[in-house]
Amino acid sequence: MLFLTSEQIQSLKQTNISIDGEKTKERVQALWKAAKSAQKQEIRELADVVTATVYRIYNTGSISAKLAIAFAQVLNISPYYLIGEADEPGECAEADLLRLLEQQGYKKLLAEIVPAEAKPKRAYTRRKKADDTPIEEAAPVEEEHAPMSDEEIAQAVEEILADLPPEEPIEILPEESLQALLHALVIRAGASAAGAAEKLGQVQAILLT
Protein backbone atom coordinates (compact mmCIF):
# COMPACT_ATOMS: atom_id res chain seq x y z
CA MET A 1 0.00 0.00 0.00
CA LEU A 2 1.34 3.39 -1.02
CA PHE A 3 1.46 6.13 1.59
CA LEU A 4 3.06 9.53 1.14
CA THR A 5 5.78 10.56 3.58
CA SER A 6 5.57 13.76 5.61
CA GLU A 7 8.15 15.36 3.29
CA GLN A 8 6.09 14.50 0.21
CA ILE A 9 2.86 15.73 1.79
CA GLN A 10 4.44 19.00 2.92
CA SER A 11 5.71 19.63 -0.61
CA LEU A 12 2.12 19.93 -1.88
CA LYS A 13 0.66 23.36 -2.58
CA GLN A 14 -1.60 25.19 -0.14
CA THR A 15 -4.32 25.38 -2.78
CA ASN A 16 -8.00 24.78 -2.12
CA ILE A 17 -9.14 21.56 -3.80
CA SER A 18 -12.63 21.27 -2.27
CA ILE A 19 -15.47 21.09 -4.76
CA ASP A 20 -18.19 21.48 -2.11
CA GLY A 21 -17.23 23.78 0.74
CA GLU A 22 -20.22 22.96 2.94
CA LYS A 23 -19.55 19.23 2.77
CA THR A 24 -15.88 19.82 3.48
CA LYS A 25 -16.73 21.93 6.54
CA GLU A 26 -19.12 19.37 8.01
CA ARG A 27 -17.00 16.30 7.28
CA VAL A 28 -13.70 17.68 8.50
CA GLN A 29 -15.31 18.97 11.70
CA ALA A 30 -17.01 15.63 12.43
CA LEU A 31 -13.89 13.60 11.67
CA TRP A 32 -11.60 15.86 13.70
CA LYS A 33 -13.86 15.82 16.75
CA ALA A 34 -14.11 12.02 16.60
CA ALA A 35 -10.37 11.48 16.08
CA LYS A 36 -8.14 10.39 18.95
CA SER A 37 -5.45 12.74 20.26
CA ALA A 38 -2.71 10.60 18.71
CA GLN A 39 -4.44 10.74 15.32
CA LYS A 40 -4.79 14.52 15.51
CA GLN A 41 -1.12 14.83 16.36
CA GLU A 42 -0.16 12.59 13.44
CA ILE A 43 -2.26 14.67 11.02
CA ARG A 44 -0.63 17.89 12.26
CA GLU A 45 2.85 16.40 11.92
CA LEU A 46 2.24 14.93 8.46
CA ALA A 47 0.95 18.24 7.07
CA ASP A 48 3.17 20.41 9.31
CA VAL A 49 0.26 22.58 10.49
CA VAL A 50 -1.12 23.78 13.82
CA THR A 51 -4.57 23.05 15.24
CA ALA A 52 -5.89 26.46 14.20
CA THR A 53 -5.30 25.49 10.56
CA VAL A 54 -7.81 22.67 10.90
CA TYR A 55 -10.37 25.02 12.45
CA ARG A 56 -10.08 27.31 9.44
CA ILE A 57 -11.42 24.45 7.33
CA TYR A 58 -14.55 24.50 9.53
CA ASN A 59 -15.06 28.20 8.78
CA THR A 60 -13.99 28.45 5.13
CA GLY A 61 -14.74 25.05 3.61
CA SER A 62 -11.34 25.20 1.93
CA ILE A 63 -8.89 22.31 2.23
CA SER A 64 -5.47 21.87 0.65
CA ALA A 65 -4.18 18.66 -0.91
CA LYS A 66 -1.67 18.19 1.88
CA LEU A 67 -4.35 18.30 4.59
CA ALA A 68 -6.78 16.15 2.59
CA ILE A 69 -4.12 13.48 2.14
CA ALA A 70 -2.93 13.70 5.75
CA PHE A 71 -6.51 13.22 6.97
CA ALA A 72 -7.09 10.40 4.49
CA GLN A 73 -3.97 8.46 5.44
CA VAL A 74 -4.33 8.78 9.21
CA LEU A 75 -8.10 8.17 9.39
CA ASN A 76 -8.21 5.68 6.47
CA ILE A 77 -10.83 7.48 4.42
CA SER A 78 -11.00 8.59 0.81
CA PRO A 79 -9.63 12.09 0.13
CA TYR A 80 -12.55 12.51 -2.27
CA TYR A 81 -14.94 12.31 0.67
CA LEU A 82 -13.14 15.24 2.31
CA ILE A 83 -13.30 17.44 -0.78
CA GLY A 84 -17.00 16.70 -1.26
CA GLU A 85 -16.78 14.60 -4.41
CA ALA A 86 -17.59 11.20 -2.86
CA ASP A 87 -20.71 10.56 -0.76
CA GLU A 88 -19.19 7.79 1.39
CA PRO A 89 -15.98 7.87 3.48
CA GLY A 90 -14.70 4.69 1.88
CA GLU A 91 -11.05 4.03 2.64
CA CYS A 92 -7.68 5.49 1.78
CA ALA A 93 -7.10 3.55 -1.44
CA GLU A 94 -3.81 3.82 -3.29
CA ALA A 95 -5.65 4.47 -6.56
CA ASP A 96 -7.43 7.49 -5.04
CA LEU A 97 -4.18 9.01 -3.76
CA LEU A 98 -2.50 8.60 -7.14
CA ARG A 99 -5.51 9.92 -9.06
CA LEU A 100 -5.75 12.97 -6.79
CA LEU A 101 -2.07 13.76 -7.28
CA GLU A 102 -2.41 13.46 -11.04
CA GLN A 103 -5.55 15.62 -11.11
CA GLN A 104 -3.72 18.33 -9.18
CA GLY A 105 -0.76 18.27 -11.56
CA TYR A 106 1.90 16.59 -9.38
CA LYS A 107 3.51 14.67 -12.24
CA LYS A 108 7.03 14.99 -10.87
CA LEU A 109 6.01 13.59 -7.49
CA LEU A 110 4.12 10.75 -9.18
CA ALA A 111 7.22 9.88 -11.17
CA GLU A 112 9.22 9.66 -7.94
CA ILE A 113 6.85 7.43 -6.00
CA VAL A 114 5.36 5.02 -8.52
CA PRO A 115 6.56 3.26 -11.72
CA ALA A 116 5.10 4.55 -14.98
CA GLU A 117 3.12 1.35 -15.64
CA ALA A 118 1.35 1.66 -12.28
CA LYS A 119 0.16 5.24 -12.70
CA PRO A 120 -3.62 5.77 -12.69
CA LYS A 121 -5.47 5.76 -15.99
CA ARG A 122 -7.22 8.93 -17.13
CA ALA A 123 -10.76 7.76 -16.43
CA TYR A 124 -11.84 11.17 -15.25
CA THR A 125 -12.44 14.71 -16.49
CA ARG A 126 -9.94 17.23 -15.21
CA ARG A 127 -11.79 19.74 -13.06
CA LYS A 128 -11.19 23.41 -13.87
CA LYS A 129 -12.42 26.68 -12.54
CA ALA A 130 -15.13 28.56 -14.40
CA ASP A 131 -12.51 30.56 -16.31
CA ASP A 132 -10.74 27.31 -17.37
CA THR A 133 -7.84 27.98 -15.01
CA PRO A 134 -6.38 24.61 -13.86
CA ILE A 135 -7.22 23.82 -10.25
CA GLU A 136 -3.58 23.99 -9.14
CA GLU A 137 -3.49 27.67 -10.10
CA ALA A 138 -6.31 28.63 -7.75
CA ALA A 139 -5.68 31.03 -4.90
CA PRO A 140 -3.70 29.51 -2.02
CA VAL A 141 -5.49 28.50 1.15
CA GLU A 142 -4.56 30.87 3.97
CA GLU A 143 -3.34 28.15 6.33
CA GLU A 144 -0.90 29.90 8.60
CA HIS A 145 -1.18 33.67 8.37
CA ALA A 146 -4.88 34.58 8.53
CA PRO A 147 -5.82 36.17 11.89
CA MET A 148 -7.80 33.90 14.19
CA SER A 149 -11.33 34.89 15.16
CA ASP A 150 -12.46 34.76 18.80
CA GLU A 151 -14.39 31.58 17.98
CA GLU A 152 -11.31 29.95 16.46
CA ILE A 153 -9.25 30.93 19.50
CA ALA A 154 -11.81 29.44 21.88
CA GLN A 155 -11.92 26.23 19.84
CA ALA A 156 -8.14 26.03 19.73
CA VAL A 157 -7.86 26.52 23.49
CA GLU A 158 -10.37 23.73 24.13
CA GLU A 159 -8.50 21.44 21.73
CA ILE A 160 -5.10 22.18 23.26
CA LEU A 161 -6.33 21.54 26.79
CA ALA A 162 -8.20 18.38 25.80
CA ASP A 163 -5.18 16.91 24.03
CA LEU A 164 -2.67 17.58 26.81
CA PRO A 165 -1.94 14.42 28.82
CA PRO A 166 -1.86 15.06 32.59
CA GLU A 167 1.88 14.46 32.83
CA GLU A 168 2.80 16.76 29.94
CA PRO A 169 4.33 20.03 31.22
CA ILE A 170 2.78 23.27 30.00
CA GLU A 171 6.14 24.79 29.07
CA ILE A 172 6.52 22.53 26.04
CA LEU A 173 3.50 24.10 24.31
CA PRO A 174 4.42 25.86 21.03
CA GLU A 175 4.49 29.65 21.03
CA GLU A 176 1.30 29.99 18.95
CA SER A 177 -0.62 27.83 21.42
CA LEU A 178 0.60 29.94 24.36
CA GLN A 179 -0.46 33.10 22.52
CA ALA A 180 -3.90 31.61 21.88
CA LEU A 181 -4.28 30.70 25.56
CA LEU A 182 -3.28 34.20 26.70
CA HIS A 183 -5.57 35.83 24.14
CA ALA A 184 -8.49 33.68 25.31
CA LEU A 185 -7.79 34.65 28.93
CA VAL A 186 -7.80 38.35 28.02
CA ILE A 187 -11.15 37.92 26.25
CA ARG A 188 -12.64 36.11 29.25
CA ALA A 189 -11.36 38.78 31.64
CA GLY A 190 -12.86 41.51 29.44
CA ALA A 191 -16.19 39.69 29.55
CA SER A 192 -16.02 39.51 33.36
CA ALA A 193 -15.86 35.71 33.40
CA ALA A 194 -15.55 34.32 36.92
CA GLY A 195 -11.93 34.22 38.07
CA ALA A 196 -10.55 35.34 34.71
CA ALA A 197 -9.34 38.77 35.84
CA GLU A 198 -7.52 37.26 38.83
CA LYS A 199 -5.83 34.65 36.64
CA LEU A 200 -4.83 37.29 34.10
CA GLY A 201 -3.31 39.38 36.90
CA GLN A 202 -1.31 36.38 38.07
CA VAL A 203 0.00 35.75 34.57
CA GLN A 204 0.99 39.41 34.19
CA ALA A 205 2.76 39.36 37.55
CA ILE A 206 4.74 36.27 36.55
CA LEU A 207 5.71 37.76 33.19
CA LEU A 208 6.86 41.01 34.81
CA THR A 209 9.05 39.33 37.45
Side-chain angles (χ1 to χ4, degrees), residues 47-66:
D48 190 27
V49 299
V50 295
T51 302
T53 302
V54 179
Y55 288 128
R56 290 195 180 103
I57 303 175
Y58 293 14
N59 298 323
T60 65
S62 298
I63 187 170
S64 64
K66 70 175 186 177

Side-chain angles (χ1 to χ4, degrees), residues 7-204:
E7 290 78 13
Q8 290 167 339
I9 290 175
Q10 290 166 27
S11 73
L12 305 178
K13 296 177 182 178
Q14 297 179 12
T15 301
N16 178 33
I17 64 171
S18 174
I19 63 173
D20 190 319
E22 289 304 314
K23 289 181 179 179
T24 295
K25 285 182 184 181
E26 295 173 1
R27 293 170 181 180
V28 169
Q29 183 171 10
L31 288 165
W32 185 255
K33 287 184 175 180
K36 298 178 180 179
S37 295
Q39 291 174 317
K40 294 176 181 178
Q41 181 64 22
E42 188 175 358
I43 290 170
R44 288 191 293 257
E45 290 178 353
L46 276 176
D48 190 27
V49 299
V50 295
T51 302
T53 302
V54 179
Y55 288 128
R56 290 195 180 103
I57 303 175
Y58 293 14
N59 298 323
T60 65
S62 298
I63 187 170
S64 64
K66 70 175 186 177
L67 267 170
I69 290 177
F71 263 88
Q73 290 190 175
V74 174
L75 302 180
N76 190 29
I77 57 174
S78 170
Y80 288 98
Y81 179 72
L82 291 164
I83 67 175
E85 183 171 326
D87 292 329
E88 298 296 331
E91 62 182 15
C92 185
E94 180 175 313
D96 281 350
L97 292 179
L98 296 178
R99 184 160 63 94
L100 184 67
L101 289 174
E102 187 173 14
Q103 284 178 317
Q104 299 303 317
Y106 294 105
K107 296 181 180 179
K108 183 177 179 181
L109 179 57
L110 277 171
E112 294 174 356
I113 63 178
V114 65
E117 62 271 17
K119 289 179 183 177
K121 304 298 181 182
R122 279 187 168 271
Y124 62 86
T125 301
R126 181 182 178 83
R127 182 170 62 90
K128 296 185 178 182
K129 294 174 65 180
D131 60 359
D132 289 336
T133 302
I135 185 66
E136 62 268 21
E137 295 179 9
V141 178
E142 291 294 335
E143 292 190 335
E144 303 296 344
H145 305 296
M148 294 174 66
S149 66
D150 289 349
E151 181 181 357
E152 287 177 317
I153 291 170
Q155 289 175 324
V157 170
E158 290 180 8
E159 185 72 33
I160 291 165
L161 295 177
D163 284 348
L164 271 179
E167 69 275 7
E168 186 172 359
I170 291 296
E171 60 266 25
I172 72 169
L173 284 175
E175 182 179 349
E176 180 168 337
S177 298
L178 291 172
Q179 291 176 342
L181 287 168
L182 181 58
H183 192 168
L185 184 57
V186 171
I187 291 172
R188 293 184 61 202
S192 300
E198 181 181 353
K199 291 177 182 177
L200 181 59
Q202 292 172 348
V203 170
Q204 289 176 330

